[in-house]
Amino acid sequence: MDFFVKYLCAFIVGGLICVVAQILIDKTKLTSARILVLFVVCGVFLTAIGLYDYVVDFADYGARIPLTGFGYSLCKGVIKAVDEYGFRGIFTGGLADVATGVVMAVVFGLIASIVSKPKSKK
C-alpha cells in the first residue's frame, strides 16, 4: 500500500472511531467511563469473532491506538497464551501483551502530573 494511502486509512478509521465516541457522549446519557469500557469490550468481541482483524489489516495503527485496539490487544494476547499454555493462558495472556502500554501510560501520567500545575474544581 502506498505511504500516503496507508496514513489516510489510519486517519479515517481512527477518526471514525472517535466520531462514534463523540456521538455517544453527545446523544446518550452514558458516562465517559462507560463509553470507554464499551469500546474495550467491543474491541474484544470483534476480535473474538474475527472481524477486528480486517479493520487492523486495513487501518493498522488507526485501529490499534483507540480503546477498541486495547481490547484487540487483550484478546490477541489471551488467544496466543491459550494456544501456548492452555487454560492458564486465559488469566495471563491479556495482561502480558498489554503490560508495556499500561506501564507507559502510568509513567507518562505521573510525569504529566509532576510537570503540570493542578487546579481544583469549583
Side-chain angles (χ1 to χ4, degrees), residues 11-56:
F11 178 78
I12 290 171
V13 171
L16 286 174
I17 292 170
C18 293
V19 165
V20 170
Q22 190 63 50
I23 290 170
L24 288 172
I25 290 170
D26 292 343
K27 301 293 183 186
T28 68
K29 293 184 179 187
L30 292 172
T31 63
S32 298
R34 289 180 185 209
I35 293 170
L36 295 175
V37 170
L38 176 70
F39 272 48
V40 173
V41 171
C42 284
V44 170
F45 177 73
L46 291 173
T47 304
I49 63 173
L51 291 179
Y52 207 73
D53 289 327
Y54 296 113
V55 178
V56 169

Side-chain angles (χ1 to χ4, degrees), residues 57-96:
D57 288 342
F58 177 73
D60 201 21
Y61 285 100
R64 290 182 192 204
I65 298 298
L67 278 172
T68 50
F70 183 72
Y72 167 80
S73 297
L74 283 172
C75 191
K76 282 294 186 182
V78 169
I79 291 169
K80 185 173 70 173
V82 166
D83 289 342
E84 196 171 322
Y85 302 113
F87 182 75
R88 184 177 54 152
I90 294 172
F91 304 105
T92 61
L95 294 176

